Amino acid sequence: MLCAFRNAFRGILYCARHERNMKIHLGAMILVALLAWWSKLTKHEALILVITVSSVLVAEMVNTAVETIVDMISPEFHPMAKIAKDVAAGAVLITAIVSLLVGYMLFFYRIWN
């Protein structure tokens, strides 16, 4: 069981070290956490924020896994490989857009008042 946790943490660290977009998402997460602390979010607002931020990170990791598998199976260009990569990237985009909307709803009036 500990081996499974160790492997999972290796996957997280791999993404954090090697994936440019994951670094961007992690940086945004730190900024959002500081803003949440400064804004004194309620417990429920903080929970919404945690779920939203974690969904972006998870989507980015799944996207990395899909891209890695597709590159391994189909090193040459293939239209179906492109579809798989584009769909995975689209999932990240959707979660990122939703996270921006959630951030707007949680922070806009707190910042401008």
Side-chain angles (χ1 to χ4, degrees):
M1 185 165 123
L2 288 176
C3 188
F5 281 111
R6 184 177 29 210
N7 292 337
F9 282 113
R10 284 182 184 155
I12 295 167
L13 287 174
Y14 175 86
C15 283
R17 288 182 180 153
H18 300 286
E19 295 298 317
R20 180 179 57 87
N21 289 340
M22 184 61 133
K23 291 176 186 177
I24 292 168
H25 294 310
L26 289 169
M29 178 188 73
I30 292 168
L31 290 175
V32 166
L34 291 171
L35 188 58
W37 173 78
W38 176 78
S39 298
K40 295 179 176 47
L41 294 182
T42 68
K43 182 171 44 172
H44 292 104
E45 290 170 331
L47 179 61
I48 290 167
L49 200 60
V50 166
I51 292 168
T52 302
V53 169
S54 66
S55 71
V56 174
L57 299 177
V58 169
E60 187 63 49
M61 292 180 71
V62 170
N63 182 48
T64 298
V66 167
E67 287 184 352
T68 302
I69 291 169
V70 168
D71 289 345
M72 182 181 67
I73 293 172
S74 180
E76 308 84 37
F77 177 81
H78 191 284
M80 292 179 77
K82 181 180 180 343
I83 291 169
K85 287 181 164 189
D86 290 351
V87 169
V92 176
L93 181 60
I94 289 171
T95 60
I97 290 169
V98 169
S99 73
L100 288 173
L101 292 172
V102 168
Y104 171 79
M105 289 187 259
L106 290 175
F107 295 120
F108 182 77
Y109 292 107
R110 281 185 166 91
I111 292 172
W112 293 110
N113 285 337

